[in-house]
Amino acid sequence: MLQYKTIMLDKLKALRQNKEGKTKGSQDSQKCLIALDIGTEYVKALVGRVHEDDKIEIIGVGRAHQELTDMQAGAISDIGRVVANCDQALAEAEDMAGVNNVRTTTIGIAGELVKGTTTTVRVSRKDHEKEMDMEEVERIVGLVQERALDRAKKQLSTELGGKDVEIRLVNSALVGIEIDDYQVSNPVGFKGKTVTVRLYTAFAPMIHIGAIERVAKELDLELLAVAAEPFAVARSVIGNDPSGNMNAILMDTGGGTTDIAVLQDGGVQGTSMFGIGGRAFTKSIAKDLSIDFAQAEELKTHITSSAMSAMKKSTIQKSLQKTLNVWLGGVELALESFPVDDHLPHRMLLCGGGSSLEMLMDQLEQSHWYKQLPFAKKPSVQHISPDQVVGIVDRTGKVNDHTYITAMGLLRVGLDTMFTQDQSRTQAGLKERINRILSV
């Protein structure tokens, strides 16, 4: 098996390298980014061309199927196989884009041990008559990150029965700053007794990050950023509008996990993940009908077919409903964990292949699952469409549904990171300075 993996990987690398003479110079690869969405069911690769106005144009798309043992609950379990799958998707995307030497990439990370939350720290100033400067803001932000790291370590240790887990910050975003309970967009120059900073941070175990770094190294890619996938989805719909005030629950249901992010007033309040996705529904059918996984997947995806008998359809629906009840319980628990000042947003936006299941959407829309949660009214439910993603346009005609939203969000995170690293474009404003502090 190991020899097979090595041969396949060598063939895929050769395919990419052989295109060099044919495609070199056809596009400016220095202005291109790769997004690599390593999902439990599929690897998706996007090649995006970055324009001067900070817009991204998708010029290449690739996809490769993952085997059952390649991933477990959103985390890489077979590095060799995942590398081969990623290389296949990249070769397809680069061939479509007409480039072969794009190396800068952003890769998503998911799984139940990826923790994202908003931390609030209130700091009393010794000299409240002194105007705040950027150095003081940086110190306060650093303090918030330290507090968030300590909280994440304690949470993971508790969940793992006291085991100490090494973790790393993967994403951080400024939610808001107040001076003496007055909201400000830029605290520099203000006087005041207390400063309150709200910062979203996401942490992941080093063992998961290490696997992603190994994949990037094997593919000869420059890893620009590792992004918590619900954060990437949030970035896809928020964009760079400083006055944006979107309120929504974002839900990415993939093959192995469901990732949830809550947005309030345009800021990420927190993210949560649990290990139930599309494959759990397929496995339920396989078990109840005593068939293999491939047959069960075929039945699941064709459950609305008129060719299927009513008896078989009823049997499959009963099997799916059992897992759906457990999945809804996971959604409720996740939403209960979000600290909200008033009510949860009533707008729910879904993406990911697992959310393609019609019964899942029907259950969210028609059942009373939300009654015990702090909703002001019944949630409205819809899929995120690619044209709702801010600042990213598809030129291939291939990015045409909700299954590519996470990959599009990873392109946005890559652009954010490129911006903070490009000193020639960085301005003197608070947002740019804070972004440099938060860049990881």
Side-chain angles (χ1 to χ4, degrees):
M1 181 63 72
L2 180 59
Q3 184 180 11
Y4 167 77
K5 294 174 186 175
T6 304
I7 293 172
M8 287 300 297
L9 184 55
D10 288 344
K11 286 183 177 179
L12 288 166
K13 285 184 175 179
L15 175 63
R16 296 171 67 192
Q17 291 168 358
N18 287 340
K19 295 184 295 180
E20 184 170 358
K22 181 176 66 175
T23 63
K24 190 172 182 179
S26 60
Q27 302 287 352
D28 184 1
S29 62
Q30 296 303 311
K31 295 182 180 179
C32 290
L33 279 173
I34 290 171
L36 206 52
D37 176 13
I38 305 176
T40 301
E41 193 70 21
Y42 288 97
V43 172
K44 300 184 187 75
L46 300 181
V47 177
R49 184 192 294 125
V50 180
H51 292 268
E52 291 299 323
D53 58 357
D54 289 335
K55 304 293 184 182
I56 300 176
E57 188 179 32
I58 297 174
I59 57 175
V61 180
R63 193 171 80 153
H65 186 260
Q66 302 251 58
E67 297 300 328
L68 285 173
T69 57
D70 296 347
M71 304 281 290
Q72 293 295 329
I76 297 171
S77 57
D78 188 329
I79 292 176
R81 280 298 310 168
V82 169
V83 168
N85 297 336
C86 289
D87 215 14
Q88 180 182 336
L90 284 169
E92 184 180 338
E94 290 176 340
D95 187 53
M96 183 183 297
V99 299
N100 73 300
N101 54 345
V102 184
R103 288 293 172 265
T104 305
T105 187
T106 304
I107 300 179
I109 189 169
E112 292 180 276
L113 298 182
V114 179
K115 303 299 178 184
T117 187
T118 294
T119 301
T120 302
V121 171
R122 191 177 179 91
V123 178
S124 297
R125 303 181 69 219
K126 293 181 180 179
D127 185 358
H128 60 269
E129 290 298 322
K130 178 185 175 183
E131 294 182 351
M132 289 192 68
D133 56 22
M134 199 60 215
E135 185 178 349
E136 184 176 0
V137 175
E138 291 176 1
R139 285 200 305 270
I140 295 172
V141 169
L143 175 63
V144 180
Q145 287 185 325
E146 289 176 7
R147 297 263 183 97
L149 175 63
D150 184 59
R151 177 194 292 181
K153 282 184 175 179
K154 289 179 179 178
Q155 183 179 357
L156 277 173
S157 179
T158 299
E159 291 181 10
L160 297 174
K163 184 179 179 181
D164 187 27
V165 178
E166 186 179 0
I167 61 176
R168 183 200 292 177
L169 178 69
V170 290
N171 296 115
S172 201
L174 186 65
V175 176
I177 296 181
E178 296 177 0
I179 297 179
D180 292 342
D181 299 322
Y182 176 74
Q183 184 81 30
V184 298
S185 59
N186 187 344
V188 174
F190 280 86
K191 300 177 182 179
K193 293 182 179 180
T194 60
V195 179
T196 304
V197 174
R198 300 172 68 206
L199 194 72
Y200 167 81
T201 50
F203 296 89
M206 279 300 301
I207 187 171
H208 294 341
I209 296 174
I212 289 173
E213 290 176 337
R214 177 63 183 271
V215 168
K217 182 178 179 181
E218 290 291 323
L219 294 168
D220 192 26
L221 295 173
E222 176 194 346
L223 188 54
L224 185 64
V226 175
E229 293 194 349
F231 178 76
V233 173
R235 289 296 300 120
S236 75
V237 297
I238 294 173
N240 286 331
D241 183 3
S243 61
N245 58 357
M246 174 180 279
N247 295 298
I249 295 170
L250 308 178
M251 191 178 302
D252 178 6
T253 301
T257 64
T258 294
D259 308 335
I260 299 175
V262 173
L263 302 182
Q264 287 189 320
D265 297 324
V268 182
Q269 298 299 307
T271 53
S272 182
M273 308 183 192
F274 60 94
I276 303 177
R279 282 190 172 179
F281 295 96
T282 306
K283 288 177 180 178
S284 178
I285 296 172
K287 180 181 178 181
D288 290 347
L289 275 66
S290 299
I291 56 178
D292 63 31
F293 186 89
Q295 290 175 306
E297 181 70 18
E298 183 74 12
L299 290 175
K300 185 185 76 172
T301 55
H302 291 88
I303 190 172
T304 58
S305 172
S306 58
M308 185 178 293
S309 69
M311 182 176 293
K312 178 174 281 190
K313 186 177 295 186
S314 176
T315 302
I316 296 170
Q317 287 174 337
K318 288 178 182 178
S319 181
L320 289 173
Q321 189 63 52
K322 290 188 299 182
T323 304
L324 192 53
N325 291 338
V326 178
W327 179 83
L328 277 172
V331 172
E332 291 180 54
L333 286 172
L335 292 177
E336 283 176 357
S337 69
F338 289 105
V340 291
D341 298 330
D342 190 10
H343 297 290
L344 284 167
H346 68 273
R347 186 182 182 194
M348 297 188 71
L349 302 176
L350 275 68
C351 64
S355 67
S356 300
L357 184 64
E358 191 173 300
M359 282 183 66
L360 183 149
M361 295 294 289
D362 290 343
Q363 196 80 11
L364 287 176
E365 291 174 332
Q366 300 171 12
S367 73
H368 298 290
W369 65 272
Y370 62 91
K371 287 290 189 177
Q372 303 303 316
L373 294 168
F375 285 103
K377 60 180 180 178
K378 183 178 179 178
S380 64
V381 184
Q382 66 182 91
H383 280 119
I384 306 173
S385 63
D387 58 13
Q388 290 177 279
V389 175
V390 180
I392 302 178
V393 178
D394 173 46
R395 298 302 184 196
T396 68
K398 300 292 185 181
V399 181
N400 49 22
D401 63 23
H402 56 276
T403 64
Y404 284 96
I405 301 302
T406 301
M408 296 175 78
L410 292 172
L411 280 179
R412 166 60 66 179
V413 174
L415 180 62
D416 294 343
T417 309
M418 281 181 63
F419 183 86
T420 62
Q421 292 182 354
D422 188 349
Q423 298 299 315
S424 65
R425 297 168 58 199
T426 303
Q427 303 172 8
L430 172 75
K431 184 177 180 180
E432 288 73 24
R433 293 290 301 276
I434 291 294
N435 278 343
R436 287 205 300 275
I437 301 168
L438 303 182
S439 179
V440 293

